Amino acid sequence: MPDYLIKNGTIVSSEKTFDNELLISNGKIKAIDKEIKASNSSTKIIDAKGMYIFPGAIDPHVHMSLPSPAGKSSDDFLSGSIAAIAGGTTSLIDFVTPEKGESYLVALEKRKKEAENCLIDYGFHMSPTWWGESSADEIKKCIKDEGITSFKTYMAYKNVLGINNEKLIKVMDTVKKYDALVTIHCENGDLIEYLRNKFIKEGKISPKYHILSRPNETEAEAVNRAIIFSKYTKCPIYIVHVSAKESVEIIQKAQNNKQLVFAETCPHYLLLDDSVFEEDNFELAKYVLSPALRKKEDREVLWKAIKNGNIQTIGTDHCPFNLKGQKDKGKNDFTKIPNGAGGIEHRLSLLFTYGVLTNKISINQFVDIVATKPAKLFGLHHKKGDIKVGLDADIIIWNPDKEEIISSKNHFQNCDTNIYEGFKTKGKPEYVIIKGNIAFKNGKIFKENLKGEYLYRKNNILSY
Ligand code: URP
Ligand code: ZN
Ligand code: ZN
C-alpha cells in the first residue's frame, strides 16, 4: 500500500483543533507536523483543503445478524461494515449472545466466524445470558485470553436474554475483580411484560402500544437498581442506550458521588420522539425499538447531558429489520415486531448536523463521543480513537459542506426502511482511510484492500 500525505486539512481531536499535515505509512499514523516531507517518491498526496480530519469513529453498540423470531437483523457483518465505512465508522463492537447453557467461549468462536467477512475491525461484548458453575471462570478467560473487556447484561427481554437480579449481581461481582466493565440494557422486564400482555388482551395491538408498554419509569427504575448493585459490588458499569430524562438524573447523581457509572445514548433518542406515533399505521413498526422513543423534553435533557459530560458516548444500537418480511410479522400483535432499527451509516452526519452545527456540542466533543471515549472505555485506545503517531491510520477526511437527504432508496444499509428518512444532513466523509487503505472516496466503497480483524482489547480507561 502507498504512503499517504494529507495536506491543508484541519485536524480535530477530542482535545484540540489544529492545522497540520499528516503522514500515513504501513497502515499507521507516522507523522503529524506543520510541514512533512513525503517519505518516498511514491507517496500519494491528498489535498484536504476545507476539510476536517477526524479519527475513524468507533461504534460501541451494534447488532449485525442478530437472531430474532422474525429472522436475523438485516445487516450482516459485510453489509453492515460497508454502511459503517460510508458514514465514517472504522471499528465496531458487536455482541456474543450465548444460548442458555452454552459455553461463552464456544459462542465466541462461532461469532468470530460470523464476523469473518467484516470489512472493518471488530470486537465483541460478551453477554452472560445465563449463569452456571463455569461462568466465573469463563469470564476470566474472556478477559485474560480473548481481550474482551466488557460484559453486556439485559434487565429486559424477560425469558429470552434477560437475567435476574441475583445473576446480574454475580456478573458484576466477577467482572469487577478484573477491572473490566459491565454494560447494561436497563429496563424493568417484569413490568414491561405485564403491560404488553395487558394491551394485547385489550385488543391494543398496533405499534404505538410498544411505547405505551415501556414508559420512562421502566427504564429509570432499572437504571437506579443497576447503579445500586454497582455501588455495593464496586463494579464499574456502562448503561447502554439511555433514553429517559429520569435516568439521566439518576446517573448524574451517581457520578456526583464518584461512582464509576458511564452512559451511552443513541442518535434516535436525540432526534426522534413519540410524536412519530401520532398517526396509527403499521409503517410505524420501523420505530419499534427498545427502550422506546421518548418525548421532546427527554431529547433536550439528553443533549445537555452530553454537553455536560454525563453521557460519554453515542452508539447506534444498529439493529435493522425490514418492514416487509420481518417487522410485518407483528402486523396483528406489536409484541411480535422485532425490536431495532438501523443507524450505523448516519451517526456522524446526523450528530455533526444536529449537534455541532447547532452548537449543542463542540466539534471536539463530537470526536470524543464517537471515537475517543469509546476507544478509552472499551480498551482500544492503544490502537484507535485518536489522531496520534503510532495509532492505526483510521482517518476520516470530512467535507463539512456536503449536503444529503437520508433515504432508504440510496443508503448502504441492507434494509427497506430508515428511521431518518427525509432528514437533511450537512457534512459527510470525502475519504475514509482504514489501516492506511482508502476505503471510501467520492461516495464509493473500495473493498479490495479491506479485511476486518478481531480486536483484542485491553485496559479500559474508566474516567468520565
Ligand atoms: O430495539 C433494540 N434496541 N434492539 C436491539 C437489542 C437491544 O436491546 O439493544
Ligand atoms: Zn438493548
Ligand atoms: Zn443493542
Side-chain angles (χ1 to χ4, degrees):
M1 89 187 71
D3 290 359
Y4 290 101
L5 178 57
I6 307 173
K7 285 176 165 288
N8 306 318
T10 299
I11 297 178
V12 186
S13 76
S14 62
E15 284 170 353
K16 53 185 179 168
T17 306
F18 55 110
D19 290 345
N20 258 191
E21 298 186 352
L22 189 149
L23 179 67
I24 294 169
S25 183
N26 285 327
K28 302 274 178 202
I29 299 174
K30 183 147 184 230
I32 303 167
D33 218 327
K34 276 246 158 297
E35 237 177 284
I36 302 175
K37 277 214 163 64
S39 35
N40 55 57
S41 58
S42 58
T43 300
K44 297 207 160 147
I45 310 287
I46 299 178
D47 183 3
K49 191 167 169 41
M51 314 262 172
Y52 291 118
I53 298 170
F54 299 142
I58 298 168
D59 194 332
H61 187 160
V62 308
H63 304 273
M64 304 304 176
S65 296
L66 177 83
S68 86
K72 291 184 173 180
S73 57
S74 58
D75 264 320
D76 63 11
F77 282 90
L78 177 61
S79 63
S81 59
I82 289 173
I85 292 167
T89 291
T90 55
S91 305
L92 58 83
I93 312 181
D94 202 293
F95 299 84
V96 180
T97 313
E99 303 279 331
K100 299 263 184 230
E102 184 184 26
S103 149
Y104 301 168
L105 294 163
V106 168
L108 170 63
E109 287 316 306
K110 285 193 204 158
R111 195 69 175 146
K112 279 185 186 167
K113 280 242 160 315
E114 279 185 280
E116 270 173 359
N117 57 0
C118 194
L119 298 180
I120 64 178
D121 288 353
Y122 53 91
F124 300 113
H125 308 280
M126 174 60 71
S127 279
T129 47
W130 64 283
W131 191 264
E133 272 181 15
S134 59
S135 300
D137 192 48
E138 290 216 294
I139 284 180
K140 182 177 170 190
K141 286 190 174 123
C142 285
I143 296 168
K144 301 274 179 212
D145 305 337
E146 298 290 346
I148 291 181
T149 62
S150 48
F151 294 82
K152 166 77 180 289
T153 55
Y154 295 86
M155 295 168 86
Y157 305 135
K158 206 171 160 341
N159 306 326
V160 193
L161 305 171
I163 53 173
N164 63 20
N165 293 337
E166 183 194 357
K167 290 176 184 144
L168 176 56
I169 291 167
K170 283 185 172 149
V171 173
M172 287 188 185
D173 185 57
T174 306
V175 167
K176 72 106 191 295
K177 292 184 183 132
Y178 308 103
D179 298 322
L181 191 57
V182 170
T183 79
I184 314 176
H185 173 133
C186 292
E187 283 188 300
N188 185 317
D190 291 303
L191 184 53
I192 289 169
E193 210 47 34
Y194 165 76
L195 291 170
R196 278 154 63 95
N197 292 337
K198 177 171 162 300
F199 285 135
I200 293 298
K201 268 195 212 128
E202 293 169 353
K204 295 170 174 165
I205 56 168
S206 69
K208 78 167 177 195
Y209 290 99
H210 173 75
I211 335 194
L212 297 175
S213 64
R214 300 179 110 95
N216 282 31
E217 293 102 314
T218 56
E219 180 184 281
E221 182 280 329
V223 166
N224 193 46
R225 198 160 17 112
I227 287 177
I228 294 171
F229 295 168
S230 157
K231 176 176 173 186
Y232 287 99
T233 57
K234 299 198 168 42
C235 181
I237 58 170
Y238 171 102
I239 300 169
V240 300
H241 50 42
V242 173
S243 63
K245 61 182 188 320
E246 295 85 351
S247 306
V248 172
E249 224 173 275
I250 297 164
I251 290 165
Q252 278 167 338
K253 203 165 138 215
Q255 291 171 343
N256 289 341
N257 289 336
K258 304 267 175 293
Q259 251 187 274
L260 287 179
V261 174
F262 302 92
E264 166 199 277
T265 190
C266 311
H268 43 271
Y269 300 119
L270 295 165
L271 301 172
L272 295 167
D273 56 58
D274 64 354
S275 61
V276 297
F277 283 93
E278 267 158 23
E279 292 168 45
D280 197 2
N281 59 60
F282 190 74
E283 271 258 329
L284 301 176
K286 71 177 179 181
Y287 301 112
V288 169
L289 41 84
S290 298
L293 294 177
R294 304 299 179 193
K295 302 214 172 314
K296 277 207 170 57
E297 63 210 67
D298 295 272
R299 289 167 50 182
E300 279 158 29
V301 170
L302 292 171
W303 276 115
K304 273 200 195 112
I306 297 166
K307 186 158 188 88
N308 296 338
N310 299 111
I311 290 178
Q312 289 74 35
T313 70
I314 298 186
T316 57
D317 199 3
H318 181 78
C319 191
F321 290 99
N322 287 309
L323 265 178
K324 231 178 166 179
Q326 295 196 290
K327 292 269 186 186
D328 59 7
K329 297 265 189 270
K331 214 158 187 140
N332 299 315
D333 178 346
F334 75 91
T335 67
K336 300 206 161 53
I337 301 171
N339 282 208
I344 200 164
E345 185 171 340
H346 301 107
R347 177 177 58 141
L348 273 62
S349 58
L350 287 166
L351 294 174
F352 187 81
T353 308
Y354 296 99
V356 178
L357 297 182
T358 59
N359 292 319
K360 286 196 169 73
I361 53 171
S362 73
I363 197 162
N364 307 92
Q365 268 184 315
F366 166 77
V367 169
D368 198 38
I369 54 179
V370 301
T372 312
K373 269 292 188 325
K376 286 183 172 166
L377 291 174
F378 294 111
L380 289 170
H381 53 98
H382 59 293
K383 273 173 100 99
K384 306 211 177 258
D386 207 343
I387 304 229
K388 276 191 186 150
V389 171
L391 296 194
D392 284 355
D394 293 349
I395 302 285
I396 310 169
I397 300 179
W398 185 265
N399 183 340
D401 298 319
K402 213 161 213 169
E403 296 188 20
E404 207 172 61
I405 298 176
I406 297 176
S407 174
S408 62
K409 294 195 176 63
N410 58 12
H411 65 191
F412 284 89
Q413 295 172 167
N414 181 34
C415 191
D416 64 3
T417 188
N418 191 314
I419 53 173
Y420 305 109
E421 186 76 32
F423 270 68
K424 291 185 175 149
T425 58
K426 189 166 182 200
K428 70 170 281 177
E430 191 72 31
Y431 289 80
V432 177
I433 298 173
I434 301 187
K435 293 184 285 185
N437 287 299
I438 303 244
F440 181 83
K441 184 181 162 185
N442 292 336
K444 287 207 175 62
I445 302 279
F446 295 89
K447 286 195 259 185
E448 310 79 67
N449 301 320
L450 302 178
K451 172 89 190 93
E453 290 170 292
Y454 174 70
L455 287 164
Y456 286 85
R457 301 183 279 129
K458 57 180 184 190
N459 304 339
N460 302 333
I461 298 185
L462 300 179
S463 59
Y464 301 127

